[in-house]
């Protein structure tokens, strides 16, 4: 009975941790539409507000690992819950822009610490044959949280100061997670010997050689310094290579940017109304939930390595297909919040024909996406729906009056043409190719949610020794945040330099390289205890 209670509470902690993470990532898309009016936010201030979460998360990934290793996973989650409650209260009661930024930095710090501590704590708390299911539950929680934030964005869109309710409602799941973890033990419950573990069925050793080795070598927890991550002791350098390779390939295969332009791909197949943004975000969100559930079901059966490789192969094929179809049927990419009135500007209407004229004077970069599944990019495509925006129109002449919305979106447009939206677009005639592009994008999103999405964090929570697990996880996580920011900010500059289709073909090449990397370096860890995985890494080159 106690084991079942621990299992249920561990599942609750994992799901709520992911749900809070996803909710905080997604809620800003709707809140910004009201905040920009209430606080008269320029595009630059909007980007600062969105980036504040990233800054807090980066800070957490630099210091959170020390907190997790020195003070324990359970205490780190409890502290992150308290910090998140403080951040949510600041955002709910704030009256100034500086207060908003401080609140978002605080929330970013809290959810980053929580994300690392939850994955590690749950992986240590449950048996070997349940670990894949429960750690993957965190990723499912992220997607559910984002979908919940979309729904609440819609509910509070017309409420006066509705953004206060949006930020404040994060307090409920945070309090629930805090109470749930109070009933869980500080450290994992360990049985007396390897023999009793095997008899109880908690650890399924892969072969007799491993079983004999496990009996000969009783597990002793060792102490490590941070620099040991780069040394040959216990094969730590290879473990670091595996961890960094997974988090960097997770970003460099293009996930943040494929989702960021989902709405445009939906437009190209004929969804010209406000529904396209909802379909692009909510529809893909539901698909991600379903795909993550599939990953949860097979993580402990097919194994982490098999799901990673299968997901990478499908991602590489899908993104290559998008690159090839876009050579025939190009999608015009537009910058958010971009000044285009000057014909000599580096990113003018002649280069980005779908971008409406902006009154802003400065070129601002695309808003950064988040790691942990990189779902935040999708929130940009939903802002049109909440703003009540029409699809972006080709600007035929200067007779245009408009009100500006979030990130360069338009709330109202009057265009001196009665033609249908996108009627002059070069890709309007290629219906079949556009549908192929759409299906490829859906396959890409599903493959990511089965492979890189949940499996990266599962493998990271398994491959390091307990004494340095928190710092190692945080070290890899910091590279994940930094790579995500780099990919998001450089995307449109790379498109200007090499073109949209070549950009996606490059992502396809990175997918192939990821398959080779996983095949050569990433071991299979299903059905093995954390101690056994550690011993295998220590023995094998």
């Amino acid at each position: 009975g106690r084991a079942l209670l621990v299992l249920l509470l561990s599942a609750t902690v994992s799901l709520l941790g992911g749900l809070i993470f996803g909710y905080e990532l997604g809620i800003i898309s709707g809140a910004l539409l009201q905040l920009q009016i209430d606080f008269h936010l320029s595009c630059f201030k909007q980007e600062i507000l969105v980036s504040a979460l990233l800054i807090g998360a980066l800070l957490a990934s630099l210091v959170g690992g020390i907190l997790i290793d020195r003070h324990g996973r359970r205490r780190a989650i409890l502290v992150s819950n308290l910090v998140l409650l403080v951040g949510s209260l600041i955002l709910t009661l704030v009256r100034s822009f500086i207060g908003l930024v401080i609140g978002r930095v605080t929330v970013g710090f809290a959810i980053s610490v929580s994300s690392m501590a939850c994955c590690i704590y749950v992986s240590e708390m449950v048996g070997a044959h349940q670990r894949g299911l429960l750690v993957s539950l965190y990723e499912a929680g992220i997607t559910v949280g984002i979908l919940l934030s979309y729904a609440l964005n819609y509910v509070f869109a017309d409420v006066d100061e509705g953004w206060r309710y949006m930020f404040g409602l994060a307090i409920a799941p945070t309090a629930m997670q805090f109470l749930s973890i109070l009933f869980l033990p500080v450290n994992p419950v360990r049985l007396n010997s390897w023999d009793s573990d095997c008899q109880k069925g908690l650890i399924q050793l892969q072969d007799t050689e491993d079983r004999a080795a496990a009996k000969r070598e009783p597990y002793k927890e060792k102490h490590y310094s941070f620099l040991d991550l780069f040394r040959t002791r216990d094969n730590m350098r290879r473990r670091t290579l595996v961890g960094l390779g997974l988090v960097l390939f997770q970003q460099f295969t293009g996930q943040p940017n494929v989702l960021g332009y989902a709405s445009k791909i939906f437009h190209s197949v004929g969804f010209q109304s406000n529904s396209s943004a909802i379909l692009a975000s909510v529809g893909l969100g539901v698909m991600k939930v379903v795909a993550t559930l599939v990953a949860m079901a097979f993580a402990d059966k097919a194994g982490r390595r098999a799901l990673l490789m299968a997901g990478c192969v499908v991602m590489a094929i899908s993104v290559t297909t998008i690159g090839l179809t876009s050579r025939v049927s190009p999608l015009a990419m537009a910058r958010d919040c971009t000044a285009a009135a000057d014909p000599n500007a580096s990113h003018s209407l002649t280069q980005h024909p779908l971008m409406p004229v902006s009154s802003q004077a400065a070129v601002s970069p695309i808003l950064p996406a988040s790691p942990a599944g990189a779902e935040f990019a999708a929130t940009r495509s939903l802002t049109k729906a909440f703003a009540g925006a029409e699809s972006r129109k080709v600007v035929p002449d200067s007779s245009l009056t408009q009100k500006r919305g979030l990130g360069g979106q338009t709330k109202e447009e009057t265009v001196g043409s009665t033609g249908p939206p996108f009627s002059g677009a070069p890709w309007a005639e290629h219906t079949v190719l556009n549908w192929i592009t759409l299906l490829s994008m859906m396959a890409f999103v599903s493959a990511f949610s089965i492979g890189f999405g949940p499996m990266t964090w599962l493998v990271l929570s398994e491959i390091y020794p307990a004494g340095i697990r928190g710092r190692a996880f945080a070290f890899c996580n910091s590279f994940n945040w930094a790579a995500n920011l780099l990919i998001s900010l450089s995307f449109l500059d790379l498109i200007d330099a090499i073109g949209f289709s070549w950009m996606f073909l490059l992502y396809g090449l990175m997918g192939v390289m990821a398959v080779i990397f996983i095949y050569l370096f990433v071991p299979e860890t299903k059905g093995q205890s954390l101690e056994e995985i550690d011993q295998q890494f220590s023995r094998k080159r």
Side-chain angles (χ1 to χ4, degrees):
R2 183 166 181 266
L4 181 61
L5 180 63
V6 167
L7 190 67
L8 290 174
L9 286 174
S10 297
T12 303
V13 167
S14 184
L15 183 63
L16 286 173
L19 189 139
I20 295 164
F21 194 110
Y23 182 83
E24 292 291 0
L25 295 180
I27 202 66
I28 192 67
S29 65
L32 263 180
L33 295 168
Q34 297 183 356
L35 289 170
Q36 64 171 343
I37 297 169
D38 292 354
F39 290 88
H40 309 289
L41 300 183
S42 64
C43 286
F44 180 66
K45 284 188 174 181
Q46 290 175 43
E47 285 162 2
I48 288 177
L49 191 55
V50 173
S51 301
L53 189 89
L54 180 71
I55 293 166
L58 271 171
L59 287 173
S61 64
L62 296 176
V63 302
I66 299 170
L67 171 67
I68 292 168
D69 278 341
R70 287 192 181 171
H71 301 286
R73 290 73 160 116
R74 180 175 178 270
R75 191 173 295 172
I77 298 173
L78 290 172
V79 169
S80 73
N81 287 154
L82 293 175
V83 173
L84 186 57
L85 287 171
V86 171
S88 298
L89 285 172
I90 292 173
L91 288 169
T92 306
L93 305 173
V94 74
R95 296 286 175 185
S96 68
F97 174 71
I98 297 298
L100 284 172
V101 173
I102 292 171
R104 289 296 283 176
V105 170
T106 306
V107 165
F109 185 93
I111 63 174
S112 183
V113 170
S114 176
S115 70
M116 297 183 290
C118 275
C119 289
I120 294 172
Y121 182 75
V122 171
S123 72
E124 293 175 343
M125 190 58 59
V126 299
H129 59 289
Q130 299 155 333
R131 195 167 58 239
L133 172 70
L134 292 184
V135 177
S136 299
L137 194 60
Y138 185 89
E139 182 74 16
I142 291 177
T143 314
V144 171
I146 289 178
L147 288 174
L148 178 63
S149 72
Y150 290 166
L152 291 175
N153 279 343
Y154 183 78
V155 169
F156 293 111
D158 298 322
V159 176
D160 187 40
E161 291 197 337
W163 54 270
R164 295 188 189 275
Y165 299 101
M166 296 179 194
F167 289 135
L169 283 171
I171 292 172
T174 305
M176 288 172 62
Q177 188 187 37
F178 186 89
L179 292 173
S180 297
I181 204 164
L182 286 177
F183 294 98
L184 282 168
V186 176
N187 294 311
V189 180
R190 302 210 179 277
L191 299 175
N192 292 329
S193 68
W194 286 93
D195 281 336
S196 59
D197 275 1
C198 297
Q199 288 165 10
K200 297 274 186 181
L202 289 175
I203 299 168
Q204 298 167 348
L205 295 170
Q206 287 193 314
D207 52 44
T208 52
E209 180 188 343
D210 287 331
R211 181 173 300 175
K215 288 179 181 177
R216 285 196 307 271
E217 304 173 27
Y219 184 76
K220 294 177 183 177
E221 190 168 308
K222 302 173 186 176
H223 297 283
Y224 297 88
S225 71
F226 178 76
L227 292 178
D228 284 331
L229 285 174
F230 312 103
R231 293 174 179 151
T232 54
R233 177 191 176 189
D234 292 335
N235 226 355
M236 290 297 291
R237 192 183 294 166
R238 186 193 165 200
R239 304 184 205 217
T240 304
L241 171 68
V242 170
L244 286 180
L246 285 175
V247 296
L248 291 176
F249 275 120
Q250 185 190 51
Q251 297 302 318
F252 291 147
T253 45
Q255 163 77 357
N257 297 322
V258 173
L259 276 183
Y261 290 92
S263 183
K264 218 173 234 76
I265 295 174
F266 271 79
H267 277 155
S268 72
V269 297
F271 296 104
Q272 304 290 354
S273 67
N274 296 346
S275 64
S276 66
I278 298 171
L279 279 170
S281 296
V282 178
L284 287 178
V286 171
M287 181 177 295
K288 284 175 73 65
V289 171
V290 172
T292 308
L293 292 175
V294 172
M296 287 167 53
F298 287 98
D300 293 310
K301 294 176 183 176
R304 293 79 158 124
R305 179 181 159 92
L307 290 178
L308 278 168
M309 290 185 68
C312 274
V313 168
V314 175
M315 285 169 66
I317 294 171
S318 302
V319 84
T320 301
T321 304
I322 294 174
L324 292 173
T325 55
S326 65
R327 290 188 68 79
V328 181
S329 173
L331 290 172
M333 294 293 113
R335 289 177 180 266
D336 291 336
C337 262
T338 307
D342 180 6
N344 297 319
S346 60
H347 302 288
S348 67
L349 282 172
T350 55
Q351 290 171 293
H352 299 292
L354 300 186
M355 181 178 58
V357 174
S358 169
S359 59
Q360 298 296 331
V363 173
S364 304
I366 194 168
L367 301 181
S370 87
E375 289 91 347
F376 183 61
T379 65
R380 293 198 299 273
S381 65
L382 194 69
T383 54
K384 289 181 187 172
F386 299 130
E390 292 295 323
S391 4
R392 297 189 184 197
K393 298 177 175 65
V394 177
V395 181
D397 57 40
S398 60
S399 59
L400 175 105
T401 58
Q402 62 183 13
K403 295 180 182 177
R404 299 298 300 166
L406 168 63
Q409 315 290 350
T410 55
K411 286 188 177 181
E412 295 176 13
E413 286 186 352
T414 306
V415 180
S417 168
T418 56
F422 295 135
S423 58
W427 37 262
E429 305 162 4
H430 302 283
T431 307
V432 174
L433 286 178
N434 292 337
W435 277 103
I436 292 174
T437 303
L438 175 62
L439 293 173
S440 298
M441 182 190 66
M442 294 166 77
F444 181 92
V445 169
S446 299
F448 182 90
S449 299
I450 288 173
F452 267 136
M455 293 304 124
T456 298
W457 311 113
L458 175 56
V459 172
L460 278 180
S461 68
E462 294 176 327
I463 61 175
Y464 294 103
I468 198 173
R469 194 170 287 139
R471 284 166 289 170
F473 198 108
F475 175 71
C476 294
N477 199 27
S478 64
F479 273 82
N480 189 57
W481 284 102
N484 187 282
L485 180 61
L486 175 68
I487 293 294
S488 298
L489 294 181
S490 64
F491 181 57
L492 288 171
D493 290 319
L494 280 171
I495 284 181
D496 289 339
I498 66 175
F500 180 85
S501 59
W502 284 110
M503 187 72 250
F504 274 70
L505 290 173
L506 183 61
Y507 287 151
L509 177 62
M510 294 302 294
V512 172
M513 291 172 64
V515 173
I516 296 171
F517 173 83
I518 293 164
Y519 179 78
L520 293 178
F521 294 106
V522 180
E524 182 54 75
T525 57
K526 70 171 180 177
Q528 301 173 62
S529 74
L530 297 177
E531 293 84 355
E532 187 186 351
I533 294 167
D534 183 29
Q535 289 183 1
Q536 286 191 3
F537 256 108
S538 299
R539 285 198 308 270
K540 295 176 182 176
R541 292 294 173 193

